[in-house]
Amino acid sequence: MNHKTWIFDLDDTLHHASGGIFDHINKLMTEYMMRHLGVDETEACALRSRYWAQYGATMHGLSTHHGIDPQQFLIETHPVEVLEQWLQFEDRLAENLSALPGRKLILSNGPQHYVEGILQRMRIQHHFESVYGVERLNYIPKPHLDAFQAVLAREGLNPAHCIMVEDSLPNLLTAKELGMTTIWVSREPRKPAHVDHRVEKISQLLRLHLD
């Protein structure tokens, strides 16, 4: 049997980023924008939300409209040594990942240093053959098709043999359009048509029938 390739998101998929990490990243992004764009906190928050909704990443809007250096922005707003105090994840995450047959990759809109740092602190980095932060996607975030195609091309993958595990419905929609099996990490009771399976946590992946 040809084992599938698992493509995992990171934030709110493998760990609970909404438990404090996202709040602090948003605060750092707002402060960065106030400093570099000369706007007040209200305007910075509004821009941050708008760019995130429009582009899938605040960084993309800032580099497109304001000429902000994306690398510098990502380094300043994702200090892993500060953010790790809010890190929350499942007890048996490493064992559950280990039990899944097939290759495993990470595809995240987060910066490379942050993604690798969080994986190391969860002690699961060795379960993933490749790790893609947004720099490795030419700073084009999910749900843009180019982000997915960059990984498929570089890894020599057929999307029909890939399983995307994500908390974001727009990202899963792109994955589905490419022909991937889609798994939504969510507590929502209902799932949209482009989601093949819904789980509340990674341990439930082992129970799915994914032939």
Side-chain angles (χ1 to χ4, degrees), residues 10-11 59 70-71 73-75 77-80 105-121 125 128-139 151 154-155:
L10 176 67
D11 294 326
M59 168 274 302
Q71 185 64 48
F73 172 74
L74 292 169
I75 287 169
T77 55
H78 290 74
V80 181
L105 315 175
I106 295 281
L107 171 53
S108 172
N109 283 350
Q112 196 74 21
H113 76 273
Y114 164 79
V115 178
E116 291 178 0
I118 294 292
L119 291 173
Q120 282 161 8
R121 282 158 177 80
Q125 73 275 18
F128 300 98
E129 285 189 22
S130 297
V131 174
Y132 288 87
V134 73
E135 299 99 314
R136 295 192 70 195
L137 310 169
N138 298 319
Y139 295 102
V151 174
R154 210 169 305 175
E155 298 292 328

Side-chain angles (χ1 to χ4, degrees), residues 33 37 47-48 50-68 70 73 139 141 144:
M33 291 163 74
L37 304 183
L47 274 177
R48 179 172 54 72
R50 189 167 94 221
Y51 290 154
W52 187 84
Q54 189 174 348
Y55 296 107
T58 304
M59 168 274 302
H60 199 68
L62 289 174
S63 59
T64 303
H65 296 285
H66 305 279
I68 293 281
F73 172 74
Y139 295 102
H144 296 277

Side-chain angles (χ1 to χ4, degrees), residues 10 41 64 72-73 115 132 160 166 182 201 207:
L10 176 67
E41 186 175 0
T64 303
Q72 196 53 44
F73 172 74
V115 178
Y132 288 87
E166 252 287 356
T182 51
K201 50 192 182 195
R207 297 187 219 146

